Amino acid sequence: MKTLGAGTVLASFAGTPLLRNFAQAATTGASIESLRANAGRWIASTCQGCTSWCPVQLRVIGNHVVDVRGNPHSKANHGKICPRPHLAIQQMYDPDRIKMPMKRTNPKKGRGEDPGFVPISWDEAIGTIADKMMELRANDETHKYLFMRGRYSYLRDIIYSAMPKVFGSPNGISHSAICAEAEKFGPYYTEGFWDYRDYDLENTRYVLCWGADPLASNRQVPHAINVWSKVREQAGIAVIDPRLSATAAKADHWLPIIPGEDGALAVAIAHVILSSGLWSREFVGDFKDQQNRFTPGESVDETLFNEVHTHGVVKWWNLELKDRTPEWASERTGLPAEQIRKVAIEFATAAPRAISWLSPGAAMQARGGYSAMAAHALNGLVGSVDHLGGTLQKTKVVAEDIPDFSDYIDELAAKNGKQKKIDQRGRLEFPALKSGKSGGGVVTNNTADAILNEDPYDIKVAIACWSNFAFSCSGSDRWERALTKIPFFAHITTNASETTQFADIVLPAAHQIAEKWSFLKNKQNLHGYSSLTEPAVKPIWDVRQDETEIPWMLAEALAERGFDNLHRYYKNEFADPETGKKPSNGSEFALAAVKMLTRPCWDSSHADHGKYGDALQGWDEFAEKGVWNSKRYQTQEKWGHFKTATGKFEFYSETLKKALEGHAEKNGTNVDAVMAATNYLARGEQAFYPHFEPALRHGDAEQFPFIFFEHRSRLNREGRSANCTWYQEHKNADPGDENWDDVLKMNPVDAARLGLKNKDSVRVTSPSGAITVHLKLWEGVRPGTVAKCYGQGHWAYGRVAAADFKHHQPLGGNNNELLPAEYERLSGSTARHGGTTRVQVTKIA
């Protein structure tokens, strides 16, 4: 970090609209020599670079974070980390961070417009937001307030749930549906578990990865890296991915599937397992005479089979699987039939210590719900569900919910809080069937269209926190128009992202890794955990904690203007569980909240203390160690009582049938109409079991000859790394990528046909938009497809992320300008994968 005097503006960026006001570097007050002379201390925290949320420790010298490592007290990640936490240090000390509250002076909004941000005080910033919110209450329009949440901690409900509902709005909209809700759809409608799974890698004998890249970009990366050498020694590995990922490069089989055809492969593997007699007799059951009657092309009498822990295996065979041979699948997937058969037999032979590892790649497709079911159903066929070496649910992590706030909801809030949510969830075309409930999930990306169309109503005041939907949602131009349309918008953020450009008020957020109190819950390596983040250093800039301090300040401002319900709730219901003291300011509120919600981990008087894991002796021990570990997961305890309609693992999903029929009844129609409205081809009973659905793609194959697909980077901390020089300097850690560049990867066979060469500047055009990038000729991408990593293409966010921050020129291209706003509608998910769009690639002279 360069030492510059306080108030010094970085000269080369003085003319930049945003940087001229907040790109002031801080005085470190310490030389490198003095830092090295002090060994420093290690303080617990949590990395939020992906949804693993690994426990880490930060090395602090003076008031500076200088290093990061895995938390040695953590059983989940072996006290190890992946590359992402290191980038957090650069993020925290990024000179392009917002350093003080800002307000817009240019009323005109849009890309290319200078917002004219100028510094203001926290009082003015919070007061302005409170005034706009009070106007809604005065006009009986509290439901026209919208809060948009991106990444979060488990203090989230303070700002995401309590604040909108006590104020009087139903509109807490989360990012979840642009992340992976379709991935959860498959396990829920087979085994009744709506969440990410854990995997027993230590004891497995086969790993079948459906687009998953455990060594680089999937969840639980530190655990996978730590044990993968053992996995390679003892297990077979097959990776289904049109790109040669880091994991595929170390696999026994790489299956470069045509994007979007995962469902065809999954049902073909199921066909082989049953026709070869390799299903699990212990878990699934057997024919009464022990003779295999699963003969290709022939139906089977259901009464001849005794099922044990599953439901509908023979029905599934008769209705879907009997004709789904490897030869049939080969024509649709582009994979050799013999490779399909070989992988299926290897997987089943290794079972029950086998894992069919479902990931967003196979699920977040326009018709990916049934692909997710089919891929996960393979675990049921071979008995690896909740089994040693197989796929698991999760161990219990003890925590409290935020206190009940119903007594603080007044008549106006109660009335308007019952309005329809802005994202249109639960409508015929958006079932969003989270946990079996019509409209139970969120349809994040559709919020932009709802705002633009004022359907079901217009939004007048919005706040976004730790989110950048104008960059991270497909059809991103819709978000730019929607944010322009909202009369008043405030953004709580660390960096001036694309979304910030449309804000009227900008609030600088404390960085997650070392400047705030919070806690996270997750699981890895058969252990659940609760992991703290702590204010390890005093912030250099005038920032506030997003989920606690800022809502506290806003509640105070609302109280001053005559609406004190929220402030009374925060003050009266959140007390320090050790002292009983009620908070008097935002920082006290933050500490009281994290202590309250984690109390079962450390308070010996709590009923759950020590029951499910560590029995930490007091808050001080928890704060020092930074992590609570659950007991090790016990397998096979779910057998016999899955949380499905039948209590069994469902190949024919009575759970899904009930959910779809309920959604149809709610909308005054039938299930076939639901299928048509959600872009699925299934009709009749086909809607109730895992089956093949052809990929839905935008763009004519003649005009747009290449199937476009994207992948994730091992260096992306939730898509927020592009302004870090370490990210750009080491981008070739992602196979096929180049440092300090954003490349479109194309197979040399295709390039030769088009007369394109390596490093050519090319324009990539889809029916939705176009971007300009460099071409990378690479054999690691399937012919007929082109691939690009997600994360580059920022026209804001900072001087490193953008080619020209001042003039809003991106470095590379944002994939979301190519991808249409398409959905897997049964879950509400954005369809990011499966080759949702076709593109043409042309050389720029």
Side-chain angles (χ1 to χ4, degrees), residues 57 65 100 134 203 236 326 352 404 480 487 509 550 566 569 582 650 669 710 753 780 783 786 796:
Q57 288 183 332
V65 178
M100 64 198 74
M134 289 303 293
N203 294 298
D404 179 65
E480 294 183 18
I550 290 176
L566 190 63
Y569 167 66
K582 295 180 179 180
E650 296 179 344
T669 188
E710 66 173 17
R753 189 177 70 254
V786 289

Side-chain angles (χ1 to χ4, degrees), residues 190 279-286 305-314 377 379-383 385 640 642 644 646-652:
T190 51
W279 73 88
S280 169
R281 269 66 174 177
E282 178 189 20
F283 187 70
V284 180
D286 201 359
F305 196 96
N306 284 331
E307 281 190 87
V308 182
H309 296 297
T310 65
H311 172 76
V313 66
V314 177
N379 292 303
L381 275 187
V382 301
V385 174
F642 290 102
T644 58
T646 62
K648 297 186 175 185
F649 189 100
E650 296 179 344
F651 299 118
Y652 184 94

Side-chain angles (χ1 to χ4, degrees), residues 803-839:
D804 185 339
F805 185 94
K806 178 179 179 180
H807 297 99
H808 298 162
Q809 297 300 312
L811 176 63
N814 180 6
N815 296 356
N816 286 315
E817 296 186 29
L818 297 176
L819 293 173
E822 188 55 82
Y823 304 86
E824 196 295 303
R825 294 167 183 262
L826 295 183
S827 65
S829 288
T830 293
R832 304 197 62 87
H833 301 295
T836 304
T837 190
R838 291 180 171 275
V839 298

Side-chain angles (χ1 to χ4, degrees), residues 610-662:
K611 184 177 179 180
Y612 300 100
D614 294 344
L616 300 173
Q617 297 304 305
W619 167 254
D620 289 344
E621 183 181 4
F622 187 32
E624 179 185 357
K625 290 186 174 179
V627 62
W628 173 94
N629 301 285
S630 77
K631 296 177 182 178
R632 191 169 176 82
Y633 187 94
Q634 297 300 307
T635 60
Q636 294 183 253
E637 291 187 352
K638 305 294 187 298
W639 288 23
H641 47 87
F642 290 102
K643 292 183 179 180
T644 58
T646 62
K648 297 186 175 185
F649 189 100
E650 296 179 344
F651 299 118
Y652 184 94
S653 182
E654 302 290 349
T655 307
L656 180 55
K657 181 178 181 180
K658 180 180 178 181
L660 287 172
E661 288 178 344

